[in-house]
Amino acid sequence: MVRKDNFYAAGAIVLGMHDALVSLTGLIAGLAIAMADRHSIILTAIIASVTASLSMGASNYLSVRAAGGQHAVINAIYTGGAYMLTCILLIIPFFIFENRTTELTVMFAIAISEIFLFNYYLGRIQNKPYMQKFLEMLCICAGVSIIAFLIGLCANICLGINV
């Protein structure tokens, strides 16, 4: 039997991990088309990752406290930590590779793997099917990334932004 505390932790981790997957893959996809310099992408991604992980942790803390929850600090740490760890994994390809297509392909492979592994693990501990949740999370992440990529493309074309 799974303890109730594990569900709070799982929810906090999902919040941080999924928000990082959606926002950072979207940000990087948009920047990849709008910015030519990979170092600018890395710097922007690092700054966004740190500030967003702190913000997500603080927001979850305040949310749990407002709801009268007892584990606000723990939830904040899980959310901010999951956000930061996810961001680190997504940025690594930009340190290793110098080809934009390879960087993005590896980043998306990492994102898909993380989504799959998390949903598989959660499904196993809850004794529930995981494929539907995996596909739902994957579609949301992919949709936001595509929209951000298109925004970057529009910025590049319409505004002439190509840093």
Side-chain angles (χ1 to χ4, degrees), residues 100-121:
R100 186 63 41 86
T101 303
T102 304
E103 293 164 345
L104 288 172
T105 301
V106 172
M107 180 193 70
F108 284 120
I110 290 169
I112 292 167
S113 298
E114 186 172 350
I115 292 168
F116 177 81
L117 290 171
F118 183 79
N119 281 288
Y120 175 78
Y121 174 74

Side-chain angles (χ1 to χ4, degrees), residues 11-27:
I13 291 168
V14 166
L15 178 63
M17 181 193 77
H18 190 262
D19 194 70
L21 285 167
V22 169
S23 62
L24 197 65
T25 57
L27 173 70

